[in-house]
């Protein structure tokens, strides 16, 4: 796997035909989950949604939007995103 997209509905919501056209041939994995929060993403990483042997060349992290919709402060959202990046590294 060369590239992993991980996050919320902004990741999961790609139309399958668009995903195949632009990313399917590039060794890309979609690990998006609709409605996810930074807390959920961190739980998923820690509990196997990010396979232990997965070592992509890059990761696109799109998370935090749902936290802000439910009054998450900018500081808390940023801390959650930074922790997700640390966990992925």
């Amino acid at each position: 796997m060369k590239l992993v997209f991980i996050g919320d509905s902004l990741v999961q919501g790609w139309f399958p035909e668009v995903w195949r056209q632009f990313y399917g041939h590039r060794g890309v994995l979609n690990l998006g989950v609709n409605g996810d929060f930074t807390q959920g993403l961190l739980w998923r990483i820690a509990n196997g949604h990010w396979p232990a042997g997965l070592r992509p060349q890059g990761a696109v992290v799109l998370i935090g939007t749902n936290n802000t919709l439910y009054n998450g402060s900018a500081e808390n959202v940023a801390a959650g995103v930074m922790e997700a990046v640390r966990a992925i590294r």
Side-chain angles (χ1 to χ4, degrees):
M1 203 57 44
K2 293 181 182 179
L3 182 64
V4 173
F5 281 68
I6 190 166
D8 54 27
S9 61
L10 297 173
V11 174
Q12 184 182 21
W14 284 84
F15 292 107
E17 61 274 5
V18 173
W19 183 263
R20 278 190 300 277
Q21 178 183 358
F22 290 101
Y23 299 108
H25 62 289
R26 299 176 193 253
V28 177
L29 178 62
N30 185 327
L31 294 178
V33 172
N34 279 334
D36 210 0
F37 291 79
T38 56
Q39 298 92 325
L41 182 123
L42 289 167
W43 185 91
R44 290 189 297 117
I45 291 170
N47 289 281
H49 192 126
W50 184 280
L54 184 59
R55 300 283 185 262
Q57 293 174 354
V60 176
V61 180
L62 296 171
I63 196 71
T65 302
N66 295 316
N67 293 79
T68 63
L69 294 174
Y70 290 91
N71 297 321
S73 69
E75 293 81 12
N76 286 342
V77 174
V81 172
M82 288 187 300
E83 188 57 35
V85 170
R86 276 198 254 348
I88 290 167
R89 285 185 171 168

